[in-house]
Amino acid sequence: MRQDGEGGGCRTVRGLACFGGVSQRVLTALVEYWTRRPVRFWVESELRYPELFQGACRKNVPVEAGQLRALLVGNVWELDLKIFPPDREPCVMETYEDFLRSGCLCCLLYYDCGDLEVYIRDEPDRAALLALLQNAGVDPQPITEENDGRERMRL
C-alpha cells in the first residue's frame, strides 16, 4: 500500500499499529481471518506458553488453529505470532527486510495488554485487516519506513 507522504512523495505501508484499546476479541478476529486459508501458525516463546511447548525449549513452535483459539480464550498479555504459507518454515526475522525475504505472510505482535503491531506482506490482506480493525472500533495507524521504530520482528 502506498500513501501520500509529506512533500507529495509516496511511502510504503509496512503494516498497521494500534496503541491501546485492542481487546482480546479483536485479536481473536484477526486470527480467525487467517484460519480461513491454508496457513501455518508459529508462536514464539517457550516461556509465555509452556503448555504449547510440552517441555521443549525452543522458539517458533507450530500451533494448530484449535490450539491458538484455546490460547486466546485465556488472558493473553503478549503474543508473538508468525503466519506462513503451508510450504514455508519459520526463520529468524530480525529486520523488516528479513520479514520480506522469509515468505512470512503476517507478523502479529501483541503486547502490553492492548498494543498491536501487524506487519502484512500483501496489500489485499492489509486492506482486509484494516477494515476488520476499523469495524471493531480500533483506529489503526500505518507503519511506514519513516515511523517504524521496531528494531526486530519479535517481542
Side-chain angles (χ1 to χ4, degrees), residues 53-106:
F53 292 80
Q54 299 173 349
C57 185
R58 60 186 179 141
K59 294 189 180 279
N60 291 318
V61 170
V63 180
E64 297 296 324
Q67 288 176 299
L68 190 54
R69 285 185 189 108
L71 179 71
L72 292 174
V73 169
N75 289 326
V76 176
W77 310 107
E78 292 182 343
L79 182 63
D80 184 337
L81 179 67
K82 308 294 193 300
I83 303 167
F84 282 86
D87 61 337
R88 298 298 291 259
E89 292 293 322
C91 57
V92 174
M93 289 185 284
E94 290 296 326
T95 66
Y96 180 71
E97 288 72 26
D98 292 342
F99 168 74
L100 292 176
R101 284 191 295 270
S102 73
C104 184
L105 299 172
C106 179

